[in-house]
Structure formats: structure tokens, C-alpha cells
Amino acid sequence: MVVSLELRRSCPKHMEYGPCGGVEFDGTCEVAEFRCVFLETPTVPWHGIAPNPESPAGLAGADVHHLADAHEFPVEAQPGAAAMRALMATRPIVVADFPGRSVDRASLTECAQALAGRVDATLAGDSGRSRVQFSPSYRAELVQQQDLAVWTGLNCRDRNRVALEGELAGLAGVGVAGVHCVTGDHTATGNRHDALPVFDLDSTQLAALARQAGHLVSVAEAPLTPPVDRRAARLREKVLAGADVCFVNHAGGVEPVRRFIAESHELGVAPGFIPCVPMVIDAGSAALLKSFTTLVLPDGFLDGILHAAHPFTAALDAITRLCEEFLAVPGVAGVNLSGGPAAGAEAAFADAMGAVADRLGLR
Ligand code: SF4
């Protein structure tokens, strides 16, 4: 089943393997005031990467490019991927969102040093308030110079497939621990409304290209985002495309994640699941977390921190406890400390993430 050109054109992200993770809880598109066009269509099965229908090859009716079938990925894992794969075979991991200021080498170095030796990798991706970042390969190289493994977030909004293939090659050269493949927020959100969105590929197609380039591949899925009853099915197709790991968006606590993992297992897929754990230490980081799309937090989580007599201590206690609850769920391969700092508090935030990892004592 190939998605019709009409359907792709009516999706602001031109997705083949929709819907994206930004569907509002009432089914509205994240970008415009209409219902997400993928909600009434069956889950699109993995069928390879088609030429962009608007490209010369697409307009000429060229065939779908069939990459390797599931579990027949011909390229050997690059060393960073192999090392992370080996580590994940022995114990759960701790991943921390990278809190450094964008295009700021000093901040990047300071934050990397605060995390090195404490977390297993840092997830360095996109930020709605700072869309311009160092190029992914360059940023990964700078961070890894501080002995901190990088799990690069790569989106389809800012680069076409040719540029993405170049980045994947660069990231393989750098030897990143993983590549997190997302379709990405539309430019209608975030701080660069002046930019044109690309969306030549989507997350499922990018996952396939990343796997072909020798990477350990992760994707995101949001269990509470419509269509809730088909989120696990969509994950299944991403796994068939090449995903090894699923970062589970903030879904309100342990039980929704446990259910989502069980549904995925019932469909015959068992990637490593890494739930997002809300990383909040003060009012500034709470405000930033609230800007995340389709965010659901455990009841009372934020209030319990922000209204505590000692919010910082309460935060570390609550975050560590939630991590431990996730790590006890069968199928969970690690936790992702997910959030961002108040402006100016980047290094302190990195240190707090390191403190949570220290408390977990997995290393
Ligand atoms: S919610 Fe996402 S997938 Fe659905 S129509 Fe909008 S951009 Fe496309």
C-alpha cells in the first residue's frame, strides 16, 4: 500500500508513513485547524522508500526503492553503534537530553563535561526555541571529544534526503552511539517561522536509511496520541524499517508505558523501550517542559516538585523514583532524562541530570 499523492499533499508534513506524533489529543492536526488526515486511514505497512512524488523521478512514476527486508540489514554496525548495542545487551542505560546552548562551543563543552562518566549517552537533537544548531556531525564530534557518547536526534524538517544521507554518513564517521530518527515539528511551531519546511522523508523512511548506514536506530512513539489504538502498529512498521529502540514520549507514568510495551509485544515487535522521564528542577525547566508537544505527566508530578520546601531535592527524589519504576517494567531498556534548562542554567541542569544518573547507579 503506497499512500496516495492526494493524501500526502493534504498532510502539512507530506508523510508517507503518517500520522506524526504531534496529533492533538482531540485529533486535530498539529499544524492547522483540521483533523489529521491519517486518522481514518489504515496503518501504512512498511514498503520501502518511494521517490518524492514531486521529484522528477516521482513525477515520472519511478518505483518504490526497496531497501533490505526486515532483519536483513547488510551494512555492519559502525563502532559507536556496536559499542552501544553491546552495552545495552548487558544492562539498562541512562540517556540525558543535551542541555547545552545552541551554537555555543563553551556551553557545549561545559555541559558535556558535567554529563561525561555519569550518563551513558546524551540525546542531542532539535529544540523549538533554538532551531539553529551546529550541524549534527560537528556537534556530535565536539561532544564526543569530552568522552560522552552522543545519540543524535535527526529530523526531516530541515534537510532533504540527500542532505540526510550526507549527515548519516558523517555521523557514522564520528561513531555516534545512536541516531534518533524523527519527522520533526513543523516550522509553524518553534522559533523559525521564516523557514520553509522540507519533509522530503519521514521518520520511518529515515530510520531505514540510518540502519543502512550502520547506525543503532531509535524512533519515537507517543502512546497517548491519536490514534491511540494504532500507535503500537505504527511502531511495528518502524521496526520493520530498521528501528532498534523506541523512545516513549511522556505518557503520564508507568502504566501507559507498560500497556504500550505489551501491545507492541503482541504485534511481534520488541525493540528496546526507553521511556522519557520528565527532568524538572525549577520553574524555568518546568516552563520549558510544558512546551513539549503531546506532553502528559504523572498526576501531581510538577506540583510535588515546585511546591516542595526544597524543590531541587524533591525533584531529584521524584525523578529518580520514576526512573526506578520504569526500569522495573519488562522490556524497558533504559530511561531518558527528558527536558531542558531555564536560560542560563544549562550547566547546573546537566549536573542535576548527572546527579540522577549517579543515584541510579547503573554504571
Ligand atoms: S497531524 Fe501530523 S500527520 Fe496528521 S495531518 Fe498534521 S502534520 Fe500530517
Side-chain angles (χ1 to χ4, degrees):
M1 170 189 158
V2 179
V3 166
S4 72
L5 184 55
E6 190 187 350
L7 189 67
R8 280 192 67 157
R9 280 182 173 153
S10 59
C11 166
K13 297 182 185 175
H14 311 305
M15 292 186 74
E16 178 77 14
Y17 297 92
C20 70
V23 185
E24 305 287 349
F25 295 124
D26 66 358
T28 307
C29 171
E30 90 168 15
V31 180
E33 288 301 316
F34 55 76
R35 194 165 164 76
C36 171
V37 297
F38 283 95
L39 291 189
E40 315 307 334
T41 61
T43 301
V44 183
W46 169 241
H47 53 262
I49 300 178
N52 188 300
E54 313 283 3
S55 70
L59 292 170
D63 250 355
V64 166
H65 175 203
H66 288 285
L67 293 170
D69 287 338
H71 312 303
E72 290 178 17
F73 303 104
V75 175
E76 259 184 50
Q78 51 87 357
M84 182 52 72
R85 221 186 276 279
L87 176 64
M88 292 180 73
T90 63
R91 64 163 173 81
I93 60 168
V94 182
V95 180
D97 284 4
F98 190 66
R101 281 192 299 277
S102 68
V103 295
D104 182 332
R105 282 191 66 158
S107 172
L108 181 150
T109 301
E110 190 177 29
C111 289
Q113 288 174 347
L115 292 168
R118 304 170 86 185
V119 302
D120 295 303
T122 187
L123 180 59
D126 191 25
S127 165
R129 65 181 177 178
S130 308
R131 290 289 193 221
V132 180
Q133 301 282 340
F134 285 136
S135 75
S137 305
Y138 179 61
R139 179 159 59 153
E141 175 66 19
L142 291 178
V143 172
Q144 294 204 158
Q145 281 173 4
Q146 305 304 319
D147 289 329
L148 174 63
V150 170
W151 200 305
T152 291
L154 196 58
N155 74 70
C156 301
R157 177 192 60 242
D158 299 327
R159 295 173 181 82
N160 73 3
R161 66 187 69 195
V162 177
L164 288 168
E165 286 178 37
E167 277 301 339
L168 289 170
L171 291 166
V174 172
V176 293
V179 177
H180 186 52
C181 299
V182 297
T183 302
D185 300 332
H186 197 277
T187 54
T189 69
N191 73 335
R192 291 305 298 264
H193 305 267
D194 58 319
L196 276 179
V198 180
F199 298 121
D200 184 10
L201 297 178
D202 59 30
S203 57
T204 306
Q205 296 162 318
L206 181 59
L209 288 182
R211 187 64 180 267
Q212 293 283 318
H215 291 293
L216 178 69
V217 177
S218 65
V219 291
E221 207 50 70
L224 299 188
T225 300
V228 172
D229 59 343
R230 288 193 285 121
R231 283 287 163 188
R234 184 160 184 267
L235 174 62
R236 178 180 181 274
E237 302 311 320
K238 289 180 176 178
V239 171
L240 293 176
D244 305 275
V245 170
C246 175
F247 282 81
V248 186
N249 283 11
H250 299 278
V254 173
E255 287 314 311
V257 171
R258 191 194 304 276
R259 274 199 302 277
F260 181 64
I261 292 174
E263 286 169 21
S264 303
H265 287 173
E266 279 168 26
L267 293 175
V269 289
F273 288 91
I274 300 185
C276 292
V277 178
M279 186 70 210
V280 173
I281 56 170
D282 52 24
S285 54
L288 189 131
L289 186 72
K290 284 179 189 166
S291 71
F292 284 22
T293 52
T294 65
L295 174 80
V296 184
L297 297 178
D299 284 343
F301 188 83
L302 278 188
D303 286 346
I305 292 171
L306 298 177
H307 299 147
H310 302 286
F312 184 76
T313 306
L316 296 196
D317 288 347
I319 296 164
T320 305
R321 194 162 51 242
L322 188 53
C323 287
E324 289 170 344
E325 289 172 13
F326 277 128
L327 291 170
V329 176
V332 166
V335 285
N336 172 216
L337 305 176
S338 167
E346 293 82 8
F349 194 78
D351 188 57
M353 290 170 143
V356 172
D358 293 344
R359 285 173 168 220
L360 290 170
L362 297 172
R363 289 175 65 91

